[in-house]
Amino acid sequence: MTRIALCLDDLGLHAGVNAAAAALARLGRLNAVSCMVGAACWGGTGEALAACGAAGADVGLHLDLTEAPLRLPRQALPMLILRSHAHLLATAALRDEIDAQLDAFEAVLGRPPDHVDGHQHVHQLPQVRDALIEVLQRRYLSARPWLRSTRHAANLVRPAGQPPAAALKPRVIQALGAAGLARLAVRHGHRQNARLLGVYDFSGGPAGYRAWLHAWLQAAHDGDLLMCHASTEPVESDPIGIARHDEWRLLGSPEFAAMLAQSGVELRPVGRMEALR
């Protein structure tokens, strides 16, 4: 049996995401949830957080520098990537933003996060990862959160009919900072998931997502993290709202349970998996 974790990203973004998190947790299919504490519906996450707690799911911070940061101005992802790799970001301001988001998380949960990752994977970028580790080391000496690795699954086979660019996307994400974050994680005692599954281009409709999900489960190794962006509603203002709803319809269905069984995959919280690096 292969043990992986299913994590829902963007909790707090809108009501559909919050409802999907609550429902998946009650079904026993959600092992982790990542919280956007500056998002519009963060205040409406009580039901989802309670369901995650009852299910034993990890609850973590989804560090956000592009959608709804608390102190820094919003930055488009391409510009943030360029500025971070050119080491043009203000380190003190980054630390203040990370502290503010952790404060907001703790104000609601009453405890440190189980893990930290990043909206659009910003947590692994140069300068951002250094500031993040510095803040985590200062705040959480005795209980270090695990950090999301974006290492791609080299054995993943692109589903027939899916665009080559969709298969290239996880490699690009990894190249933007996975190795640098891994070195820091090892040096400072933060565990990581083995690899990241769930990256695609949000196209293809229900059939496309079903094909990708089958491919991810077939490629899964112990300790992998499968991220999702499910929503019970196809919110029009959300750029990937339709894809989120497609994900929900499959992940919340009996078909997903059958896919897990057929693939020999068991869902388990990341923090309880022996295969963490």
Side-chain angles (χ1 to χ4, degrees), residues 88-99:
L88 296 176
L89 300 177
T91 302
L94 277 174
R95 289 195 297 263
D96 287 346
E97 179 65 35
I98 294 166
D99 266 319

Side-chain angles (χ1 to χ4, degrees), residues 50-134:
C52 288
D58 292 335
V59 180
L61 175 69
H62 202 46
L63 180 65
D64 178 16
L65 302 178
T66 59
E67 185 81 22
L70 297 179
R71 295 181 179 177
L72 290 173
R74 289 180 57 181
Q75 294 191 64
L77 181 61
M79 182 57 66
L80 179 63
I81 292 171
L82 288 173
R83 294 187 67 210
S84 68
H85 280 267
H87 293 269
L88 296 176
L89 300 177
T91 302
L94 277 174
R95 289 195 297 263
D96 287 346
E97 179 65 35
I98 294 166
D99 266 319
Q101 293 191 31
L102 288 168
D103 287 344
F105 179 96
E106 291 186 29
V108 172
L109 275 295
R111 62 172 179 83
D114 295 308
H115 66 272
V116 177
D117 53 41
H119 185 54
Q120 299 178 312
H121 313 290
V122 300
H123 67 296
Q124 66 173 352
L125 295 175
Q127 290 195 277
V128 179
R129 64 190 182 224
D130 297 288
L132 174 61
I133 291 293
E134 183 177 336

Side-chain angles (χ1 to χ4, degrees), residues 138-153:
R138 170 166 45 81
R139 295 177 68 117
Y140 309 126
L141 285 175
S142 60
R144 293 184 175 89
W146 59 266
L147 304 175
R148 178 180 294 182
S149 170
T150 63
R151 182 186 176 203
H152 81 281

